[in-house]
Amino acid sequence: MEISHRIAKSRPLATTALHGRVDAMKDRGEHVIDFSIAISHFPAPPAVLAAMHEALHRPALPYTAVGGDASVRARLAARVTRENGIDAAPGEILVTNGAKQALYQALYVMADPGDAVIIFKPYWPAYVATSKLLGLEPILVDLPARITTELLDSLPPAKVLILNNPHNPSGTLLLATELDCIAAWLGKTGTRAIVDESYEKLVFDGVHHSLAARPDWRALGVVTLFSASQSYAMMGWRAGFAVAPAPLVAAMETVQGPITAAAPMLIQLALAAAFESDDSPESTAMLADYRARRDLVLDLTANLAWLTVRAPASGPYLWFDVSALGLDTVAAAEQLLTEYAVAVMPGDALGVPGHLRIGYISDDVATLRRGVQAIIAFGNQRHGSL
């Protein structure tokens, strides 16, 4: 069957492909510990479930405006103003079917084919894949310990800078001083920014700051992406939104209209309820559980000569540096899956070979422990043969 040249040059995301493979193995009755992706073992917040119960008893759930129901947009605008310090109006909110749709549409309206997009690596694979689908030119830059004016000034010209704050997979949080440097550089160069803040509520150490929490965010052309998936344990709900200057929102609506139109009203209501449930007892308990799991894995992997891992300040992943083993990490991940029944994401998929990404928030603690011990056994065996 003939397909377009445009898509023939593209490949499925390695992350979703591996997760699909693991699901197929499980469907065949095989037992696999899946660290390849982060899927919370917590349910959606009670406030979300209550909102769904109420919505399902309404006489109707109508189509809404493409950008979202007016009351939902107002609630989300109030939330980012209150929690993130972003002075946003309802017309600067665009509700989408997950953050990936918001990313696609933001890049679509902010850059033209051939334009350069700066992406720090390791990266969330969707940043590179979406850029390529749109005919953009990804410029990959090693993520430094800290972003400085000197680093930014060394970058080549680009139409868009993509930031992930908190960062997947390292868990790094950008400091307020780093954001000041970035804002000054944006203003000086005319580069605009897309900031993915999907993990904003999964912060263990430090404080999360939003780049758009400054009065000139509109003039700088900052688009901020939010998702319910990780911060609110709503992976399968596909609920997200963007905060952007009104002209960009209008342009993104033009893209969204013929593709999906509005996100489902039911999901819009769930999204608003989730983002209004901050600091609930359930969210506090979830964060404490994640922190305990993070610390358990760090304890289990401490003092291994072949592994380096830093405690992430945020997020649902651990970033294992296994370069001391001298392995092809794609092959290592394949061997872990086929011989140890443990799925991990090779760093190659995120732009940095020699690393493994570990999602540690799924299943129970005993399963987490078994999976990590299998990785340790694998690494110890390879290290012993060096």
Side-chain angles (χ1 to χ4, degrees):
M1 177 68 69
E2 184 178 353
I3 59 174
S4 70
H5 295 297
R6 179 175 54 236
I7 199 64
K9 295 185 295 184
S10 302
R11 294 291 179 269
L13 286 177
T15 45
T16 52
L18 179 54
H19 180 60
R21 181 181 171 191
V22 171
D23 278 351
M25 294 171 70
K26 290 180 177 180
D27 288 343
R28 294 194 299 268
E30 300 177 46
H31 177 72
V32 182
I33 298 174
D34 189 5
F35 294 158
S36 71
I37 198 168
I39 299 180
S40 180
H41 65 285
F42 276 82
V48 171
L49 303 182
M52 294 300 90
H53 184 269
E54 185 276 329
L56 290 172
H57 287 82
R58 294 185 181 188
L61 290 170
Y63 292 135
T64 74
V66 171
D69 175 75
S71 65
V72 168
R73 296 170 88 175
R75 291 165 67 183
L76 293 172
R79 190 277 190 182
V80 298
T81 300
R82 180 180 66 252
E83 293 289 329
N84 301 85
I86 302 174
D87 178 23
E92 294 168 322
I93 303 292
L94 177 77
V95 181
T96 56
N97 296 279
K100 282 182 178 176
Q101 182 177 17
L103 169 69
Y104 184 96
Q105 293 172 183
L107 281 172
Y108 193 103
V109 306
M110 295 172 76
D112 290 308
D115 285 340
V117 178
I118 295 172
I119 302 169
F120 287 107
K121 61 177 184 176
Y123 48 71
W124 186 43
Y127 301 145
V128 173
T130 303
S131 297
K132 289 181 176 180
L133 278 174
L134 293 172
L136 308 177
E137 185 63 36
I139 298 175
L140 304 181
V141 178
D142 289 330
L143 181 70
R146 290 298 171 202
I147 294 176
T148 63
T149 300
E150 291 72 25
L151 169 75
L152 293 168
D153 286 342
S154 72
L155 299 176
K159 187 63 70 71
V160 178
L161 168 69
I162 297 180
L163 296 169
N164 192 192
N165 181 37
H167 183 259
N168 168 10
S170 71
T172 301
L173 283 168
L174 292 176
L175 301 177
T177 51
E178 293 178 275
L179 295 175
D180 289 340
C181 289
I182 292 166
W185 180 78
L186 295 175
K188 179 171 60 177
T189 63
T191 306
R192 294 185 287 181
I194 297 173
V195 189
D196 180 353
E197 301 192 359
S198 294
Y199 304 132
E200 55 154 351
K201 287 301 176 182
L202 302 184
V203 175
F204 309 120
D205 307 304
V207 178
H208 171 259
H209 301 282
S210 293
L211 178 62
R214 56 191 67 240
D216 60 346
W217 70 270
R218 298 175 182 85
L220 294 175
V222 177
V223 175
T224 310
L225 310 182
F226 293 92
S227 169
S229 295
Q230 294 292 349
S231 286
Y232 302 98
M234 294 171 62
M235 289 76 184
W237 296 68
R238 308 312 303 143
F241 67 100
V243 182
L248 289 181
V249 167
M252 292 168 73
E253 287 177 321
T254 300
V255 178
Q256 184 168 322
I259 301 173
T260 64
M265 183 58 179
L266 195 65
I267 298 304
Q268 293 190 46
L269 294 170
L271 178 71
F275 277 81
E276 291 174 341
S277 70
D278 298 321
D279 304 320
S280 67
E282 292 79 15
S283 64
T284 301
M286 185 175 76
L287 189 62
D289 176 272
Y290 289 1
R291 182 196 296 272
R293 287 164 172 261
R294 178 200 68 169
D295 293 345
L296 169 64
V297 178
L298 292 173
D299 287 343
L300 290 172
T301 56
N303 303 316
L304 293 173
W306 51 269
L307 186 148
T308 301
V309 57
R310 294 181 175 86
S314 63
Y317 294 110
L318 285 156
W319 187 232
F320 284 4
D321 181 347
V322 295
S323 56
L325 292 175
L327 295 175
D328 175 339
T329 36
V330 172
E334 179 66 21
Q335 192 171 0
L336 276 166
L337 180 58
T338 57
E339 297 183 14
Y340 292 80
V342 175
V344 299
M345 187 58 58
D348 310 60
L350 291 82
V352 184
H355 292 68
L356 300 173
R357 191 187 71 175
I358 310 297
Y360 61 87
I361 63 172
S362 305
D363 300 314
D364 53 43
V365 172
T367 302
L368 173 64
R369 185 185 293 271
R370 286 199 309 274
V372 172
Q373 288 171 337
I375 296 171
I376 293 171
F378 170 83
N380 283 344
Q381 183 183 40
R382 300 309 176 279
H383 186 255
S385 64
L386 295 179

